[in-house]
Amino acid sequence: SVDDLTPEQEEVRNARGLALATMGWGRFVLDGSEYQFSADNAQALYLRFPFIRDQVEFRAERRAAFLPD
């Protein structure tokens, strides 16, 4: 059950959810090569760089971000 998850497992679960909601990103270089978009790469990015995950999570929580201007 979700209540039985360790903090690390919860972090992975949350990163996966955000990764699955991520539709793509622009071109950027990470560790010397272009970092291609995929749900797996998004999850890895969010786990490696919590500040990016925090920004994505903040944006995802704002309903207005999903409505047309």
Side-chain angles (χ1 to χ4, degrees):
S1 91
V2 173
D3 293 332
D4 296 331
L5 296 177
T6 67
E8 294 80 15
Q9 290 169 322
E10 182 68 22
E11 183 179 13
V12 170
R13 181 179 174 271
N14 289 341
R16 186 64 182 170
L18 288 173
L20 292 173
T22 302
M23 310 258 327
W25 54 54
R27 181 183 182 278
F28 74 95
V29 175
L30 180 65
D31 298 329
S33 61
E34 186 172 347
Y35 200 66
Q36 298 293 322
F37 172 75
S38 71
D40 289 339
N41 282 351
Q43 181 178 352
L45 185 75
Y46 300 153
L47 289 170
R48 182 174 171 190
F49 299 104
F51 73 94
I52 295 174
R53 182 187 65 235
D54 292 347
Q55 291 176 34
V56 171
E57 188 172 32
F58 176 77
R59 183 81 170 159
E61 289 175 352
R62 292 181 53 220
R63 287 187 58 166
F66 295 95
L67 300 174
D69 293 323

